[in-house]
Amino acid sequence: MKGLLIISALGLLAMLAEIFKVKKIILPLTLLGIIGALIANYFEWNTTMSISYFDNMIVFDRPALAFSGIILCTAFFWFIMANDYFHEDTNVADHYSLVLFALVGALMLTAFKNMTTLFLGVEIMSIPLYVLAASKKGDIKSNEAGFKYLIMGSFASAVLLFGIALIYGATGSFDIAAISNYLAANEGNIPKFFHVGVIFMLIAFCFKVSAAPFHFWAPDVYEGSPTLITALMSTVVKTAAFAAIFKLFMLAFALSSPVWSSILAMIIALSLIISNFTAATQTSVKRMLAYSSISHAAFMLMVVLANVRNNSSLDALIYYSLAYCGGSIIAFATLHVISSNGGDESFTAFNGLSKRSPLLAFFMALAMLSLAGIPVTAGFFGKYFVFTNMIGTPYKWLLIMAVLTSGVGVYYYMKVIIAMYFKSADNETAVEIKMPIKFTIIIAGIVTLLIGIVPGMIAQLFKF
Amino acid sequence: MVVFSRNPVNSVLYLVLTFFCIAGHYLIMNAQFLAVVHIAVYAGAIMVLFLFVIMLMNLNQESEPQKSPLLKLIAGVAGGLFLFVMVGALKGTEQINLTQYGHSDIGLVSNLGKVLFKEFLFPFEIVSVLLLSALVGAIMLGKKEIK
Amino acid sequence: MIKLAALVPLFPLIGFLINGFFGKKISKGLSGTIACISILASFVVSLLIFMELNHADNKSQIVDVFSWINSATLQIPFQFLIDPLSSWFLLIITGIGFLIHVYSTGYMHEDEGYSRFFTYLNLFVFFMILLVIGNNYMITFIGWEGVGLCSYLLIGFWYKNTAYNNAAKKAFIMNRIGDLGFLLGIILIFVTFGSVTYTDIFAKAGTVSTATVTTIALLLFIGAMGKSAQLPLYTWLPDAMAGPTPVSALIHAATMVTAGIFMVVRSNVFYSISDVASETVAIIGVVTALFAATIGLFQNDIKKILAYSTVSQLGLMFLGLGVGAYSSAVFHVTTHAFFKALLFLGAGSVIHAMGGEQDIRKMGGLKDKIKITFITMLIGTIAISGLPPFSGFFSKDEILAHTYEHSKILWLLGMITSMLTAFYMFRLLFLTFYGKFRGTHDQEHHLHESPASMTIPLVVLAALAIVGGALGLPEFWGMENWMSHQLEPVILRPNYSTLHHETEWMLMGLAVASALAIIYFTYLLFMKNGVRPADREDQLKPWQKMIYNKYYVDEIYDALFRKPIDFLSNAFHKFLDVQFIDAIVNGVGKSVTAIGNTVRLLQNGSIGFYLVGMVMGVVLIILLTFLVK
Amino acid sequence: MLAVLLILFPLFCSFILFISKGNSGRTIALAATVIEFVLGLAAFYLFKHNPDSNLLSYNCVWVESLNIHFAIEINALSLLMVLLTTFLLPLIILTTFNKSENHPSNFYALILMMQMALIGVFTANDGFLFYVFWELALIPIYFICLLWGGNNRGVITFKFFVYTLIGSLFMLIGLIYLYNHTNVEGHKSWAVLDLYTAGHSLTATQQGAVFWLIFIAFAIKMPVFPFHTWQPDTYVVAPTQGTMLLSGIMLKMGTFGVIKWLLPVVPLGLQEWGGTAITLSVIGIIYASIIAISQKDFKRLIAYSSIAHVGLISAGILAANQQGIQGGLMQMLAHGVNVVGLFFIADILMRHTGTREIDKLGGIRSMNGNFAVLFLIIVLGAVALPLTNGFVGEFLLINGVYQYSATMAAFAGLTIILGAVYMLRSYQNIMLGEKKDSSLAFGPLHANDKIVLVIICIAIIAFGVYPKPLNDIAEQGTRSIIALMK
Amino acid sequence: MINGISINMYLMLSTILFIIGAVGVMARRNTIILFMCIELMLNAVNLLMVAFSTLHNDSNGQVFVFFIMAVAAAEVAVGLAILSMIYRNIKSIDTDLLTKLKN
């Protein structure tokens, strides 16, 4: 909870800093703040199992803290990485505060206990992102991305609200606990529109994590947005959304799972197919990553699906998020470096990277292997956990499909590696990497490897 | 009419009309305060904002070339289907009268205020963050580039 | 000495290694000497073993060397078995082998691959010894394949000649076909008896069903068909004549090709039990004998004639085996080794004299130019034609007598074969040594008798071909058939003639008379009338042409196996593998791309369309969840 | 501890190589692999004298929550494979001495990494660890093929990579399924023996499913018909050392996997589906042999011959009797050595003549007799002539298959005929006869090449004549597996 | 005053409103109208919320409506800002011109 407050305060401070013309201190301040939030998180972890604030509106229990830990860590590295990007911009403080506000929303999503906080969390997270997506003001692509994101996001919000309204109508409450109690108490006597509401919420969240057929916005927005913002979207936002999904569907609506699980299975299947197949034909790495993020979302949704019968899946979700964030951070950072070194975002820009910057190429390869799920990278364990969870469920066909499509997945990840190591570059000039980015990439790479080699570490870190 | 009118200004006006209707419904349902707020916020603020933008950009012409009829058709069909399935899905709900609790005063300001500042304190506070970020965002985007 | 049986194969192995590693560095003389000495040493040891065994009470002694393959109940030790059969074969192999080695030092003297030749030859002897000396089927099989290898190497000895190489390859592959049968037979033996050791198996052979025994026997016989060039796997042997002549003498006449006979005799227990198998052996034997003999009638290559004659004689031996006359077959193997080696070496001497010419149409009148060769060849020819008192007469007669006992038809066919044999052998003799020289002037000038290293073996073999019959004189002459007594311990049902003496006399007389008649006929034909083989194929009558072309068997095989396999190979590769299976695999990849590209089109950038997509998704979901039950 | 050292030492050297610059790479690599071989021999010695020595196994917790252990053990089965790996690696390194690659250090580093993974695969006693090593082995080889391969390598190695990866993911699912059914005092376990128990407790249908899930991975790796199409292309396109690694050792991962991770796991599944799998294997034998006959490229020919050989191995192993499995083990060793020899021959041909087209070559024997002899010995090993190493395994394999089905054995046995056909045909066309191209020149072999070939030939003959040391271990290993299948 | 009106009526009404909004978003090209349609959808939700609030005699629903309004306002603000920016760049607010990002 304190973490949430600290971040909110940071956002304000960042704005104040601009007023007082002390832009230089924003970054250190932000980083310090995030560390502070993390420390606060840590203490909360050790003190109580569950503290509720404000009439059970928001509760930072251990899963919430775990997810917010991931989000904060990612954000921490993101800020380091984004440093030089911000410097180019005149509205540094605005950017900082917007990102920080989005973080607030994300943190809320991990900890909400009430539909109100859920809804507000979603919006607080989304609105700054709409702006950020469009933040390259002169670039029509960026504008378009922001616009699309906004329209589609609002549409999804409307759907979400409709769902919330229906659920409220059935249960008479916005409280998650109350809803799940209601479900338990009125088994067999639940109005139909409650289920419609659940489905609507599911759809809204599928939109947020860009699962097919609600994924349409993702590739466009990912491509159009500034690379670093895309990184933020695909890591923080996704993790937060999954934290929310976890709470909603694995806890609150668990009992109505017969209604939504088969739908979810179909959504996953569709996502797997569409994302992997389309990613395989992309020429732009950024777009490819967008599609790949859809496929990862599908994998994480599988955990949600599996939870129907298996309660150990929180581990899996957290682990997968972490692995995915690590890989994505590296990938987007590399992309950023390349495009800021005069390249575009296509596969050809990666040609011969191994010669231009062996370090970058190595870590990018690592990230790709991790995203492809090859041992001993973090991504492998992520997939492993998903499989472990899925195997007990009746959706074995989905598992087979996941295996086959991830074979396709390997194809496009490898395409990057091939380009880097096998193709020759047009220009052989060395790629210049700024220190902060180097730092981020190396740390993220080490984490990716480390939790791949010693996954027990994470499991011990988050013991529930 | 909101949807189909060609001129955005007309659209806005039709929308305002719709808002008034909705506000009427609120009144019927004893949500007096909400009805007022509704009119104030939507018709008063948001719609004015819309109009302002329209005027600003000088868009009150029927400049919009129509979408290809095909997409319109598809959109219509999709909407129709949507309606169909929604009706199908929501049908068969038991007929509950809205007045089963008789008259109530939940829609009154005092009551709402209590709820808002007791139970919903945190959301209320956090909405400030939301509005702030929207503010910042809008300003940031609205600012001219200083080059 | 029996304990030292390992020495027998060891010596040739040492010879092989020395020649193999240092062959190029040492002089030709030394190389040849080492090779000969190693075989000689082997021969001496074999002789000692033979003598010792004859005096020993235990006629079947096992010598352990080392343990080879163990797999649970499957124990295959490297073990030697010394019994009358193996010791006798050892003598033949090392004895004849030695003579041929000596002969080769002369014959191959000019060849650049001199030491290589002896390397191979020593290796061959080594494997051949293993083949006969092993105490289980696996050791025999090692030798069996090993000699196949050496045969391959030696046939293709002049490796620059593609035709020779093809012949070598053909020999190896045909042998392998047989080997597969053999191997499966061995495996079935193991599966049935839990062992492959001779002494174990034969003791238990009576305990299993006849059907199994028949299968085993037939599978083993497939192996024998390959190695001993029986129908339908005989075609490699005539081609094998591509190798240097001493090789033909040693491998493709005297020793290796008799491995099949050896193996059947070794396994006589099975054949004695299974009538079906025996019958098959006899029929294939006699058919081969007759078939090959007819082909021999019209051949013009001196070595090819001998090769077909070998096939034919081998068929005769199988006939003997088929009718249960195992010792007679071994007897015939022995005498055949003598006279056929003699004939080949003689032919080699002729070729040597002719400077490499092998076509008898281009020879003639050689008897005065190369006297020793002529005389020894004559002896050999008489021996093979079955005139008393030469060795061939006795062995062949014994087989035919047993056949008569068994079946009159088979006997008749056998008789015809031996008449044909007499015909083509004398044809060979007359055409080569009599009449006028028909070769080129150069060749005539060049004609000379071979060196002593070649003629001495000829003489020795000739002597053996004359007196070899003494090993198995007919019982009814009141003499002891040494051979059959010798082999008694290894044969389940020793087969002693039950015929009346009169019948035997009659058969014998008939054989001699017919042989004489044929020889006279041949004499009339080629000497008196001076008939010469046609120079060109189109001068032949159709039936002659067919025989001349070996009944087109090679062509048939080509059409039946080689071409279809080549075709299949291409078809499998081009169509099934590349265009079907791989295409499916690639197709998966392509379809991924195709689907990807199609799905990409959905992403057309238009918000309205995206929203329609989303709404349709919602519609579908609700439809499926709530309305479709 | 020795076991751990066997895994860690190559990894360590690999890191050194990654860091090292310049041309010292090959020396380091050679030294490393030789030392590794000595370690392998030490393990062999130790195993002979004290099979229960705790130096040979190691077990520590890796991921506690999932009960994943870093459990490795050198037992009879793995010892053979470790010996094979450690024996072949120095040779493979030696084969590179006569050509200059780009970035040699990285090349060697990847090879050593591969060795680490391979030894890991062979020694792992924990299902998860096994899988991890299994996948790890894939990455270095993929890079080796990709970075140092021939024309069109991108697409081809890619197919290989994706193909095998999908297969192994299926295996992962199978393994996880088993894992979910383990129950050791209320906990799940990855230990191999517990997985066996879990497998045995499944119903026949479940076992059938697990059988296929796991078998697919192995079948692709080996490869068994009809999962083989990646293989010829990959073998051709990979650099020689890559091909050697792929065919000499990596392929054995599949066969080894069947022995250790399939047969004892799902006996009922095997009963039900083993026949199908054997049929596929046997079809593969004939099919690949026949295709090999018409191949023009020698390397491709070897590739197809390898499919045929492996088909026999797989058929024998799946027959699941003493002879079959033992023969499989022996043949794995033999095939490893032989195929490395053959591919090296192909490499030498390429280097000396600039082509591998069988039709363009010819008459090399008259130019270099020693080479011809060495080549011939390797060919003989490949056609499984008795007294070469190939024979022992092949005999036992056919024997094993025969016990399963005589008809199958007869078909499988065709390999000895067809093998002779394509091997001799290619040998003849390449080495014998007259030179087909007058410009063809074939000088003397380099010392390194000669050393490698001689060592291979010695191995071929030595283990053909006296296979006992290895055979005894193979027998012991097979016994233990057979016992576990009950 | 509201006797006799069943909740289903409101359910249907707001559904219809919602769908009209949705169709508008799908079919129109004018971005401003797009926003308005979204407002319409949100209003549909509001209506439903209030109806349920009345049904349950629970003021939470009405409070929630406040939040929705706040969010709607925020969205519109941001949306119009983006819109004006786009207009600055391409002098049009036609969605069909916003298809640079595709495939």
Side-chain angles (χ1 to χ4, degrees), chain B residues 2-6 8 11-12 15 18-19 22 25-31 33-34 37-38 41-42 46-47 49-50 53-54 57 59 64-68 71-72 75-76 78-79 82-83 86-87 90-101 103-104 106-107 111-112 115-116 119-120 123-124 127 130-131 134 138 141-144, chain E residues 1-8 10-13 15-30 32-37 39-40 42-44 46-47 50-60 62-78 80-85 87-88 93-96:
Chain B
V2 182
V3 180
F4 299 112
S5 104
R6 289 202 157 197
S11 258
V12 171
L15 191 58
T18 315
F19 287 155
I22 290 173
H25 278 288
Y26 289 169
L27 283 176
I28 295 173
M29 288 186 284
N30 289 329
F33 177 64
L34 206 58
V37 173
H38 187 262
V41 172
Y42 277 106
I46 298 182
M47 285 305 114
L49 194 59
F50 271 114
V53 171
I54 291 170
M57 295 178 189
L59 293 175
E64 182 191 11
Q66 284 303 295
K67 263 191 185 171
S68 64
L71 190 63
K72 247 185 181 155
F82 195 13
L83 185 63
M86 284 304 288
V87 170
L90 296 174
K91 203 179 57 183
T93 333
E94 52 209 296
Q95 305 282 316
I96 311 167
N97 249 335
L98 276 179
T99 53
Q100 51 182 325
Y101 298 106
H103 264 286
S104 80
I106 54 159
N111 209 331
L112 280 177
V115 174
L116 185 59
E119 290 171 32
F120 286 80
F124 180 76
V127 163
L130 173 79
L131 292 173
L141 292 179
K143 264 202 298 198
K144 280 247 188 264
Chain E
M1 201 155 36
I2 50 169
N3 277 347
I5 304 174
S6 95
I7 183 69
N8 275 37
Y10 274 106
L11 205 52
M12 287 303 150
L13 176 64
T15 306
I16 290 166
L17 259 181
F18 188 85
I19 288 167
I20 289 174
V23 170
V25 182
M26 285 187 277
R28 294 304 301 264
R29 288 169 69 173
N30 190 322
I32 293 204
I33 295 182
L34 250 55
F35 283 122
M36 289 195 272
C37 289
E39 291 304 318
L40 198 58
L42 291 178
N43 266 285
N46 284 354
L47 183 60
V50 174
F52 280 130
S53 171
T54 316
L55 173 72
H56 292 294
N57 199 19
D58 175 25
S59 55
N60 284 4
Q62 298 195 11
V63 174
F64 203 106
V65 172
F66 285 128
F67 292 122
I68 296 180
M69 285 180 187
V71 168
E75 269 177 8
V76 166
V78 170
L80 291 177
I82 293 178
L83 198 65
S84 64
M85 193 170 63
Y87 188 76
R88 270 210 303 270
I93 50 166
D94 187 347
T95 57
D96 271 10

Side-chain angles (χ1 to χ4, degrees), chain C residues 575-609:
Chain C
F575 298 105
L576 209 53
D577 220 40
V578 175
Q579 289 187 8
F580 187 69
I581 298 179
D582 202 29
I584 290 177
V585 177
N586 288 335
V588 171
K590 281 198 191 110
S591 58
V592 166
T593 322
I595 294 174
N597 278 325
T598 321
V599 177
R600 267 178 83 158
L601 295 180
L602 289 178
Q603 202 79 29
N604 65 359
S606 150
I607 295 182
F609 184 79

Side-chain angles (χ1 to χ4, degrees), chain A residues 144 147-148 151-152 155 195-196 199-200 203 207 213-216 219-220 259 263 266-267 274 277-278 280-282 287 291 408, chain C residues 591-597 599-600 602-607 609-611 613-618 620-622 624-627:
Chain A
E144 182 184 336
F147 175 72
K148 274 183 178 163
I151 293 287
M152 313 271 279
F155 190 88
H195 296 311
V196 178
I199 294 291
F200 266 54
I203 288 167
F207 170 86
F214 314 107
H215 67 286
F216 289 106
D220 290 2
V259 180
I263 289 300
M266 273 185 285
I267 289 177
I274 289 190
F277 284 21
T278 321
T281 61
Q282 293 302 321
R287 247 184 126 73
Y291 282 108
V408 179
Chain C
S591 58
V592 166
T593 322
I595 294 174
N597 278 325
V599 177
R600 267 178 83 158
L602 289 178
Q603 202 79 29
N604 65 359
S606 150
I607 295 182
F609 184 79
Y610 291 178
L611 287 169
M614 280 173 65
V615 168
M616 289 307 255
V618 176
L620 214 66
I621 286 171
I622 293 176
L624 286 175
T625 326
F626 298 104
L627 301 179

Side-chain angles (χ1 to χ4, degrees), chain A residues 240-283:
Chain A
F242 271 103
I245 288 183
F246 164 72
K247 195 162 277 178
L248 268 182
F249 290 91
M250 293 161 94
L251 302 179
F253 302 146
L255 285 174
S256 72
S257 65
V259 180
W260 52 264
S261 58
S262 57
I263 289 300
L264 189 58
M266 273 185 285
I267 289 177
I268 293 169
L270 197 62
S271 304
L272 282 173
I273 291 175
I274 289 190
S275 63
N276 284 306
F277 284 21
T278 321
T281 61
Q282 293 302 321
T283 49

Side-chain angles (χ1 to χ4, degrees), chain C residues 87-247:
Chain C
S87 62
W88 180 245
F89 266 88
L90 283 181
L91 278 181
I92 301 178
I93 294 159
T94 51
I96 309 267
F98 172 64
L99 291 174
I100 291 175
H101 270 70
V102 172
Y103 177 91
S104 306
T105 54
Y107 188 85
M108 296 299 289
H109 202 265
E110 304 305 316
D111 201 281
E112 55 177 341
Y114 188 80
S115 68
R116 189 160 55 89
F117 183 78
F118 282 106
T119 312
Y120 294 164
L121 222 50
N122 274 355
L123 185 64
F124 168 77
V125 174
F126 165 71
F127 276 124
M128 195 66 207
I129 290 170
L130 277 190
L131 194 159
V132 296
I133 206 175
N135 183 32
N136 56 48
Y137 277 106
M138 287 309 288
I139 305 294
T140 302
F141 189 74
I142 294 176
W144 190 269
E145 288 255 289
V147 293
L149 165 70
C150 296
S151 155
Y152 167 76
L153 292 172
L154 284 164
I155 296 170
F157 181 74
W158 289 303
Y159 55 81
K160 289 185 181 168
N161 184 317
T162 308
Y164 293 0
N165 287 325
N166 286 338
K169 196 172 65 190
K170 184 173 178 182
F172 193 83
I173 290 164
M174 283 233 161
N175 268 307
R176 274 248 152 163
I177 297 173
D179 293 353
L180 174 58
F182 191 11
L183 193 63
L184 290 175
I186 296 174
I187 291 169
L188 182 56
I189 288 171
F190 165 69
V191 173
T192 318
F193 300 103
S195 167
V196 290
T197 307
Y198 293 134
T199 37
D200 296 351
I201 306 163
F202 298 147
K204 289 190 249 173
T207 59
V208 297
S209 74
T210 316
T212 316
V213 173
T214 306
T215 320
I216 291 174
L218 287 176
L219 283 171
L220 293 181
F221 182 57
I222 293 176
M225 285 189 324
K227 192 98 329 187
S228 297
Q230 295 300 292
L231 269 175
L233 300 177
Y234 74 97
T235 57
W236 64 272
L237 187 56
D239 287 4
M241 296 303 129
T245 310
V247 171

Side-chain angles (χ1 to χ4, degrees), chain A residues 80-100:
Chain A
I80 295 178
M81 185 168 81
N83 183 34
D84 73 304
Y85 163 70
F86 283 156
H87 270 304
E88 295 160 10
D89 207 291
T90 45
N91 306 318
V92 190
D94 297 345
H95 272 111
Y96 271 104
S97 53
L98 283 173
V99 174
L100 286 166

